[in-house]
């Protein structure tokens, strides 16, 4: 089967201010994902996980420069035109962000924020878009979706907000979903529900999932294969089972040992 | 942090250009008697030398009274910028003192100052000053400094009060209080240096507000009185000849715009240097 | 909100009292009175002078006059404008709508234009469009309105005859014109003074709005909007602007008094018969009841406008969860 996503020799640098040398964020990353595959991306804070995710969507901040190649769905993301990337985002590749409160527009109703995804990709009928959004919100497990859709983000709980973000990302059944620490700001029971929801959607639509986390226990319950990122380099690319049984890289060993000792404290931010 | 901001400012091309323009304007004002080729008030020949276009003898032309506009512009800079600088200093000093007093004393003093600012800030400054000047008849430049400066302390007071209150809650000040430092010492050694960049910004903004104010007052005839030149009353002298003698208006308008623009740019760049506003993510 | 309104109302009352009192006190120091030019000649017998002053209560001791005047003012009686031979109320009723028309038009046009300029600048952040527009708005803030008015009047009015130089309507035959023609005539006369003021407003709004937009563009939800596949204009208009416009409206409220000040001069230059023109005439004629009324009305205008902008800014302020998640 041809790969859905193929990253070859991807490097990302932060441009230095006025003549100072640039700082590398990601160094020579290469890996691939098949359609429908679930891959975990494991790494400590500051290892470059979020930059990798943003690079795939073409959403790196202007101060960061990417080199190499990212092939996705028949397009080369780094050299594609703005317009081409825009039509892929939200429709073929979607992303869930880690801090659901700040990731939602504080002045826009939930329903409108979800429906906007459909409207950005060829849907012209506002009412039909609102209908689709409502269905999706209900499927994402938001109780009383009709009522909730009229609310503003700050009127929802953290778990509900994360469901809204998921609904937004899954609305158009993308081929690849990137979830950046989707559960790290939630408490443990809600974490499990959100992960279950992700898996269910994935099975139903054959969607590939790249789950970014610093927490091996989250990845271990969800992913067949795990990549370990350390200091901007990909240090492991192995089946998750093998990583848990026999981690090779010292950093991978440290992360595995952390899980064996017990659940890590909830961590916010990358 | 202040050293960092200063370093940032010194390497900022925009800030350097703005500072250079202001310095040049100040130099013109100070050196006006030495630089001006003619006496700004003498009317050598109101018939033959009236409203001459710019030439080598009169780089900026002459006015309806045959006076050299270049010389009047230089001496006008002395008056206009002198009044502006004085008024700016007065308003910033007054504002800093009242803002600091309100923040440090708290209680009814704070309430009084805050309410006074709230009340006065709603009043159109230009209108108030015009009404005052018109009531008193014509005033000397010193009184103009007092009136313009005395009506401009509100913004500085607001900002200094807010900044002081913010710093008073920070740990280093709390620690100094706990160590038994006196109020005056805390203000002088800790608070004023910490708030100095903000005060500098309001000073630049105050300058940008005060220069047009003086020009407006003189332009309507209530400000600097002839024959003493100011940028505002040079415009007033030329306003009747706008279509034929453009140099009478264009040069003073340009001078006001460039100095005010430089002060605004300087305030902007200082804000960037201090607060990181408009920095790239 | 009710408490805020009450506070604002009390403030307004205090402002008016302070303004009125200080103007009255100043009047006592000021030389001359409305009859100085007309009656203080050698050919006027002292008895006539005294009779006229007595008729207007100018012979009473200052404290009594202050009390009487204060009571009258509190009742809304603004007095008699001797220089216009009209009650002050009538003069204000004539002039105020014209000033409101001028300032209101300038405010609406300027605000809309300023927001558009800021959107364009943010869209092309740090490219030539941003820099050119930034330079223009800097000049727009740096040039005092009255200078801009002079330049506009000279070239667009006196030189090229595109717009009328002064006044509020064509003289003479205009009264017989049909309504729509009179409206067009009014708009045509309004164009230059309102345009000049609007330029000043637009420059200020654009500078603040650009800074606010750039701040919001760094927020996470902007990234979410982009990840949805929204185009950059939609991100700006639908997500950034609603979250960035509140503080700018509030700032506009704070800048209103200076706008009113600028409007006074612009009115004078274009001969627009509004409150500014009235104030100048009153000052030159030493017609103090009219001066008091003009300054009071201008202050009230600024206060009311600020209350409105505050309320709007409050209504559109971004809502954030305050407590725990």
């Amino acid at each position: 089967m041809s790969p859905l996503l193929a990253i070859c020799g991807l490097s990302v640098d932060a441009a230095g201010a006025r003549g100072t040398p640039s700082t590398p964020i990601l160094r020579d990353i290469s890996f691939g994902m098949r359609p429908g595959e679930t891959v975990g991306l494991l790494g400590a804070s500051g290892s470059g996980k979020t930059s990798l995710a943003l690079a795939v969507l073409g959403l790196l901040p202007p101060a960061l420069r990417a080199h190499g190649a990212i092939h996705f769905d028949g397009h080369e993301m780094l050299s594609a035109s703005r317009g081409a990337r825009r039509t892929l985002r939200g429709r073929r590749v979607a992303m869930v962000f880690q801090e659901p409160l700040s990731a939602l527009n504080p002045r826009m109703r939930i329903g409108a924020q979800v429906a906007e995804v459909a409207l950005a990709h060829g849907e012209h009928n506002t009412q039909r878009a609102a209908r689709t959004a409502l269905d999706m919100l209900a499927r994402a497990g938001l109780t009383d979706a009709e009522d909730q859709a009229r609310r503003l983000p700050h009127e929802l709980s953290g778990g509900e907000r994360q469901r809204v973000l998921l609904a937004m990302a899954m609305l158009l059944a993308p081929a690849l979903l990137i979830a950046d620490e989707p559960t790290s700001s939630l408490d443990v029971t809600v974490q499990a529900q959100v992960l279950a929801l992700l898996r269910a959607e994935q099975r139903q639509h054959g969607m590939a999932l790249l789950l970014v986390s610093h927490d091996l226990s989250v990845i271990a319950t969800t992913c067949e294969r795990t990549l370990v990122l350390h200091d901007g380099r990909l240090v492991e690319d192995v089946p998750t089972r093998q990583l848990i049984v026999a981690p090779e890289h010292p950093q991978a060993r440290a992360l595995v040992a952390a899980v064996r000792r017990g659940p890590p404290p909830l961590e916010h931010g990358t | 942090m202040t050293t960092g901001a200063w370093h940032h400012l010194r390497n900022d091309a925009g800030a350097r250009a703005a500072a250079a323009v202001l310095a040049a304007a100040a130099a013109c004002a100070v050196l006006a008697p030495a630089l001006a080729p003619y006496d700004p008030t003498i009317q050598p020949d109101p018939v033959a030398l009236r409203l001459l276009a710019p030439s080598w003898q009169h780089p900026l032309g002459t006015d309806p009274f045959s006076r050299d506009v270049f010389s009047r512009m230089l001496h006008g800079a002395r008056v206009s910028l002198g009044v502006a600088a004085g008024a700016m200093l007065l308003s910033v000093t007054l504002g800093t003192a009242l803002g600091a007093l309100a923040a440090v004393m708290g209680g009814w003093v704070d309430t009084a100052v805050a309410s006074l600012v709230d009340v006065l800030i709603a009043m159109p400054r230009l209108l108030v000053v015009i009404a005052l000047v018109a009531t008193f008849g014509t005033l000397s430049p010193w009184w103009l400094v007092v009136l313009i400066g005395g009506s401009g302390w509100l913004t500085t007071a607001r900002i200094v009060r807010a900044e002081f209150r913010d710093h008073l809650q920070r740990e280093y000040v709390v620690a100094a209080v706990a160590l038994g430092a006196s109020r005056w010492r805390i203000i002088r050694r800790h608070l004023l240096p910490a708030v100095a960049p903000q005060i500098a910004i309001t000073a630049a903004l105050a300058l940008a507000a005060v220069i047009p104010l003086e020009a407006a007052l003189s332009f309507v005839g209530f400000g600097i009185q002839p024959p003493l030149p100011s940028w505002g009353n040079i415009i007033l002298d030329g306003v009747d000849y706008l279509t034929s003698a453009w140099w009478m208006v264009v040069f003073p308008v340009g001078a006001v715009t460039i100095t005010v623009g430089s002060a605004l740019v300087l305030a902007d760049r200082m804000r960037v240097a201090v607060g990181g506003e408009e920095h790239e993510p | 909100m009710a408490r805020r309104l009450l506070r604002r109302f009390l403030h307004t009352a205090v402002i008016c009292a302070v303004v009125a009192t200080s103007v009255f006190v100043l009047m006592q120091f000021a030389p001359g009175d409305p009859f100085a030019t007309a009656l203080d000649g050698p050919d006027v017998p002292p008895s006539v002078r005294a009779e006229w002053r007595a008729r207007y209560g100018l012979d009473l001791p200052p404290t009594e006059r202050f009390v009487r005047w204060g009571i009258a003012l509190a009742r809304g009686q603004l007095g008699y404008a001797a220089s216009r031979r009209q009650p002050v109320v009538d003069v204000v009723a004539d002039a105020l709508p014209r000033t409101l028309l001028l300032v209101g038009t300038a405010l609406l046009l300027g605000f809309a234009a300023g927001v558009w300029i800021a959107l364009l600048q943010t869209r092309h952040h740090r490219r030539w469009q941003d820099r050119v527009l930034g330079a223009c708005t800097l000049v727009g803030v740096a040039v005092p309105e009255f200078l801009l008015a002079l330049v506009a009047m000279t070239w667009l009015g006196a030189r090229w005859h595109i717009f009328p130089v002064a006044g509020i309507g064509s003289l003479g035959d205009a009264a017989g014109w049909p309504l729509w023609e009179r409206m067009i005539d009014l708009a045509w006369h309004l164009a230059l003074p309102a345009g000049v003021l609007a330029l000043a407003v637009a420059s200020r709004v654009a500078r603040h709005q650009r800074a606010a937009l750039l701040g919001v563009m760094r927020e996470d939800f902007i990234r979410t909007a982009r990840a949805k596949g929204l185009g950059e204009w939609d991100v700006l208009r639908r997500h950034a602007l609603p979250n960035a416009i509140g503080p700018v409206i509030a700032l506009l409220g704070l800048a209103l008094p200076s706008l009113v000040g600028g409007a006074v001069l612009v009115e004078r230059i274009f001969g627009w018969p509004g409150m500014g023109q009235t104030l100048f005439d009153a000052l030159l004629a030493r017609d103090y009841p009219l001066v008091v009324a003009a300054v009071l009305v201008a202050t009230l205008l600024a206060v009311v406008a600020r209350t409105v902008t505050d309320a709007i800014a409050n209504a559109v302020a971004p809502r954030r969860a305050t407590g725990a998640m």
Side-chain angles (χ1 to χ4, degrees), chain A:
Chain A
M1 208 189 241
S2 68
L4 175 70
L5 174 72
I7 296 181
C8 305
L10 175 71
S11 298
V12 172
D13 302 287
R18 288 214 184 94
T20 53
S22 57
T23 339
I25 308 276
L26 290 175
R27 282 178 268 194
D28 200 21
I29 306 276
S30 300
F31 72 93
M33 276 177 79
R34 284 175 287 109
E37 195 184 12
T38 310
V39 176
L41 180 60
L42 185 67
S45 314
S47 58
K49 294 171 299 190
T50 303
S51 295
L52 179 53
L54 289 176
V56 175
L57 274 87
L59 282 180
L60 283 173
L64 299 188
R65 293 261 165 267
H67 314 277
I70 301 174
H71 296 284
F72 170 74
D73 203 29
H75 296 265
E76 209 295 294
M77 294 300 276
L78 293 182
S79 59
S81 70
R82 280 163 160 268
R85 280 191 303 205
R86 188 184 75 70
T87 49
L88 288 172
R89 286 202 288 261
R91 190 171 56 88
R92 297 295 293 161
V93 53
M95 185 157 171
V96 177
F97 297 96
Q98 56 177 317
E99 193 55 68
L101 179 59
S102 60
L104 289 169
N105 183 340
R107 297 205 42 78
M108 204 173 179
R109 296 185 192 288
I110 296 304
Q113 296 201 43
V114 177
E116 202 179 30
V117 184
L119 293 170
H121 294 283
E123 174 66 84
H124 294 295
N125 185 333
T126 337
Q127 270 167 355
R128 204 157 52 211
R131 200 69 247 159
T132 327
L134 271 186
D135 290 346
M136 190 67 230
L137 280 171
R139 230 166 66 210
L142 208 66
T143 49
D144 225 352
E146 190 109 23
D147 183 43
Q148 301 266 50
R150 278 193 287 270
R151 299 205 175 160
L152 291 170
H154 74 271
E155 297 169 318
L156 269 56
S157 74
E160 287 168 336
R161 282 194 282 260
Q162 193 57 275
R163 286 175 199 278
V164 172
L165 277 182
L166 281 171
M168 219 182 257
M170 297 182 307
L171 188 75
L172 301 178
L176 170 64
L177 177 68
I178 302 174
D180 184 9
E181 307 267 9
T183 56
S184 63
S185 64
L186 307 175
D187 58 46
V188 183
T189 43
V190 186
Q191 261 188 29
Q193 289 167 4
V194 166
L195 287 176
L197 173 66
L198 267 176
R199 272 199 303 268
E201 283 294 322
Q202 191 193 2
R203 264 197 297 278
Q204 198 178 340
H205 296 290
M207 165 180 89
L209 173 68
L210 180 63
L211 183 64
V212 181
S213 183
H214 67 276
D215 183 354
L216 181 58
S217 63
V218 168
I219 287 177
T221 53
T222 320
C223 307
E224 306 136 28
R225 193 176 127 211
T226 301
L227 315 170
V228 178
L229 202 57
H230 173 61
D231 205 12
R233 285 179 211 279
L234 207 54
V235 294
E236 295 256 25
D237 181 354
V238 290
T240 310
R241 183 183 300 274
Q242 189 184 326
L243 178 76
I244 296 171
V245 177
E248 269 177 33
H249 191 271
Q251 189 58 30
R253 274 204 288 273
L255 286 163
V256 173
V259 177
R260 292 220 175 102
R261 275 198 306 272
L266 287 183
E267 184 191 331
H268 296 270
T270 316

Side-chain angles (χ1 to χ4, degrees), chain C residues 20 22 43 46 74 87 97 124 139 190 221 297:
Chain C
S22 19
D43 48 336
H124 301 287
V139 172
L190 184 64
F221 64 82
V297 167

Side-chain angles (χ1 to χ4, degrees), chain B residues 119 127 132 242-243 268 279, chain C residues 15 26 154 159 207 218 279:
Chain B
V119 167
L127 260 184
L132 286 175
L242 250 175
T243 42
D268 267 4
H279 272 317
Chain C
I15 292 169
L26 278 172
T154 309
R159 258 222 166 144
R207 282 165 59 85
R218 285 197 290 262
L279 175 72

Side-chain angles (χ1 to χ4, degrees), chain C residues 4 6-7 11 39-40 76 78 83 96 100 114 133 169 181 222 234 241 257 297:
Chain C
R4 278 172 65 94
L6 185 70
R7 245 173 78 98
H11 267 169
L39 297 176
D40 281 353
L78 291 170
S83 66
L96 185 59
L100 287 179
L133 287 171
E181 272 189 29
I222 296 298
D234 284 329
L241 188 60
V297 167

Side-chain angles (χ1 to χ4, degrees), chain C residues 148-235:
Chain C
L148 213 58
L150 277 179
V151 173
M153 185 185 74
T154 309
W155 270 269
L156 296 174
R159 258 222 166 144
W160 298 333
H161 305 289
I162 301 172
F163 292 102
V165 174
I168 192 168
S170 301
L171 292 173
D173 42 38
W177 292 355
L179 180 67
W180 65 274
E181 272 189 29
R182 268 183 291 160
M183 298 277 282
I184 290 175
D185 190 50
L186 180 65
W188 192 51
H189 280 83
L190 184 64
L192 276 191
V196 165
L197 282 176
L199 263 172
V201 175
S203 310
R204 284 165 179 77
V205 167
R207 282 165 59 85
H208 289 308
Q209 186 67 78
R210 175 176 176 272
L213 277 172
L214 286 176
V216 170
M217 288 302 275
R218 285 197 290 262
E219 303 250 359
D220 281 358
F221 64 82
I222 296 298
R223 199 170 60 183
T224 312
R226 286 185 177 137
K228 285 176 186 175
L230 285 182
E232 205 56 12
W233 260 118
D234 284 329
V235 172

